[in-house]
Amino acid sequence: MTMNLLEGRKLVVAVTGGVAAYKAAELVRLLGKAGAQVHVVLTRAGARFVTPVTFQALSGNPVWEDLWDARVPNNMAHIDLSRDADAIVIAPATADVIARLVHGLADDLLTTLCLARTCPLLVAPAMNRQMWEHPATRRNIGLLASDGALVLGPDAGDQACGETGMGRMLEPETLCEAVVRFLSPKPLAGRRIVMTAGPTFEAIDPVRGITNISSGKMGYALALACARAGAEVDLVSGPTGLAVPEGVRCTMVRSALQMRDAVNAVITGADVFIGVAAVADYRPDQAEEHKIKKTGDGLTLSLVPNPDILAEVAARPDAPFCVGFAAESRDLDQYATGKLRAKRLQMVVGNLVQDGLGTDDNRIVLYDADGRHPLPHASKALLADKIVEHLAGLLAAARPARSGA
Ligand code: C5P
């Protein structure tokens, strides 16, 4: 999680009485780490699971439990807390609290706070699977959503009661990402983006192959940044050890030919194509069915060129806005601008391999029809946001978003 994504944001995290309350402690920590100022509201049942001391230590703020809190001179904790907040996040939200919210009850601090709020409400339900599936809960969740609350999860999995099924609260990392996404500006709303990332692997035989050094970190960070900015993202990824970013549809492939097929399967109607993958330029003309045995003699491999996926997409009659990456070991300006022209791209992200290969940060320069735009040395996550910002600006000028976006 990038450090400053929630800088300046004020959040109320409300913890109600479920076993998942222990995960709320981690959520509060993560939101604080992302820069948010967090105030925790703990219901009486919530306090039976985790004490206020834990939340006070993690949030660095006093914990709110009582509608009649003597610390608030005007007795208006419910008004003051909600007026100040950018969002209220209830995690975990029990079936009971959801039912009470839906009916507009206001008999404790949390429900009063929610009724008096002017800010958005995000709700992460957590309950036993039977309670989740009960018609009353189904009805209440529908009403809560139609009242404008954003319902996050729940997930399926093991439950505290020993059963397995729907009702587990989403993991703290997922919830934190959902809050970041909810509060992020959406300059790519209504846009569909197809991307490639990672290396490709071209088999020589069942155990050997040709590949490029690429961690996939930049591509995955960019996919996440595009999704946060409101885009619908299809990521086609070569082999990496990375987790698929939240909110991104991902197809895993191995070779360049598979990558091309996977791109072609989703490219029609896309607004943007971003080629981040380090595609192998050549592949063995045919992979051996069985492992090649050592003979002690030299070995000559016969290679054939792979298709240039980016150039093919850019040459389509319905070509989307195309962005390429140029990783060079020298003469970056010359090679990057050469690619911009030769492949008919609208933007190229260039970097010197010695600055960013496999690492968490990088130094990059953006190239477009207006020239070169160097960005300061930064983490790949932060650079991804900067690339999105630049891309969104170019895109808005070149192809205004469809109405309704
Ligand atoms: O020509 P070069 O390989 O340096 O271009 C790099 C850009 O082209 C990257 O955006 C990369 O993802 C894309 N590319 C591709 N298919 C290839 C080779 C490169 O899409 N076969």
Side-chain angles (χ1 to χ4, degrees):
M1 178 65 55
T2 315
M3 297 296 282
N4 54 359
L5 283 169
L6 292 173
E7 203 63 64
R9 298 297 198 169
K10 292 186 180 152
L11 299 171
V12 170
V13 174
V15 182
T16 72
V19 179
Y22 80 93
K23 292 195 206 169
E26 178 65 2
L27 174 63
V28 168
R29 194 185 71 81
L30 290 173
L31 293 170
K33 213 172 137 205
Q37 235 190 74
V38 182
H39 279 273
V40 174
V41 169
L42 196 55
T43 63
R44 197 177 313 154
R48 296 186 76 109
F49 290 88
V50 184
T51 73
V53 183
T54 303
F55 288 114
Q56 181 166 343
L58 290 169
S59 67
N61 281 315
V63 171
W64 304 90
E65 295 180 88
D66 189 0
L67 193 51
W68 313 110
D69 198 312
R71 289 171 297 185
V72 184
N74 63 359
N75 256 336
M76 293 281 169
H78 59 294
I79 304 286
D80 293 356
L81 273 172
S82 85
R83 288 293 184 275
D84 248 14
D86 289 297
I88 298 175
V89 184
I90 310 184
T94 58
D96 175 70
V97 87
I98 290 167
R100 291 196 292 131
L101 288 174
V102 161
H103 290 284
L105 298 188
D107 57 354
D108 66 359
L109 177 59
L110 174 58
T111 47
T112 313
L113 189 66
C114 288
L115 205 58
R117 80 183 198 281
T118 48
C119 66
L121 176 64
L122 281 63
V123 178
M127 65 195 73
N128 161 273
R129 70 184 170 91
Q130 238 98 37
M131 293 169 83
W132 175 251
E133 277 152 21
H134 193 284
T137 307
R138 310 262 32 83
R139 209 163 46 235
N140 288 339
I141 288 289
L143 285 171
L144 192 66
S146 64
D147 279 350
L150 179 64
V151 180
L152 305 169
D155 214 347
D158 292 342
Q159 302 208 303
C161 51
E163 296 179 5
T164 305
M166 258 333 238
R168 263 175 77 89
M169 189 174 85
L170 295 182
E171 294 305 318
E173 294 76 14
T174 310
L175 286 176
C176 184
E177 173 56 29
V179 174
V180 167
R181 181 158 315 173
F182 181 79
L183 293 175
S184 295
K186 303 281 181 295
L188 294 178
R191 308 289 195 176
R192 195 162 77 76
I193 299 186
V194 178
M195 294 180 55
T196 62
T200 64
F201 180 90
E202 314 298 329
I204 294 173
D205 70 15
V207 294
R208 304 186 184 91
I210 299 172
T211 189
N212 284 326
I213 301 174
S214 165
S215 62
K217 284 178 185 167
M218 189 68 239
Y220 278 53
L222 191 54
L224 180 62
C226 288
R228 275 187 191 143
E232 187 188 336
V233 183
D234 274 300
L235 172 66
V236 179
S237 173
T240 72
L242 303 174
V244 176
E246 291 287 338
V248 169
R249 256 192 318 257
C250 183
T251 310
M252 296 301 297
V253 297
R254 208 158 86 124
S255 66
L257 292 181
Q258 289 170 351
M259 187 172 270
R260 175 172 67 170
D261 286 349
V263 166
N264 284 339
V266 289
I267 196 68
T268 306
D271 299 285
V272 179
F273 177 71
I274 312 178
V276 196
V279 184
D281 289 323
Y282 296 91
R283 66 177 186 279
D285 61 358
Q286 90 182 53
E288 295 296 330
E289 193 186 341
H290 295 288
K291 191 176 164 188
I292 301 170
K293 302 310 282 183
K294 262 195 302 254
T295 61
D297 294 332
L299 175 70
T300 304
L301 289 175
S302 170
L303 303 178
V304 292
N306 268 327
D308 189 313
I309 303 168
L310 177 58
E312 281 187 3
V313 171
R316 289 171 66 101
D318 61 343
F321 187 98
C322 283
V323 181
F325 270 64
E328 304 294 343
S329 56
R330 60 180 174 160
D331 300 330
L332 181 60
D333 283 352
Q334 186 191 328
Y335 287 125
T337 46
K339 258 166 234 187
L340 193 68
R341 256 177 269 121
K343 300 198 192 194
R344 297 170 172 276
L345 310 177
Q346 281 71 47
M347 177 175 157
V348 166
V349 182
N351 76 289
L352 288 169
V353 285
Q354 49 273 36
D355 286 338
L357 214 58
T359 59
D360 287 333
D361 43 38
N362 204 351
R363 187 185 304 279
I364 62 176
V365 182
L366 306 180
Y367 300 84
D368 59 24
D370 286 337
R372 70 192 291 277
H373 315 273
L375 298 180
H377 183 256
S379 70
K380 287 181 178 172
L382 210 69
L383 288 173
D385 288 336
K386 296 284 172 206
I387 295 170
V388 164
E389 218 176 274
H390 197 84
L391 166 66
L394 291 181
L395 199 57
R399 305 172 177 219
R402 287 184 278 267
S403 60

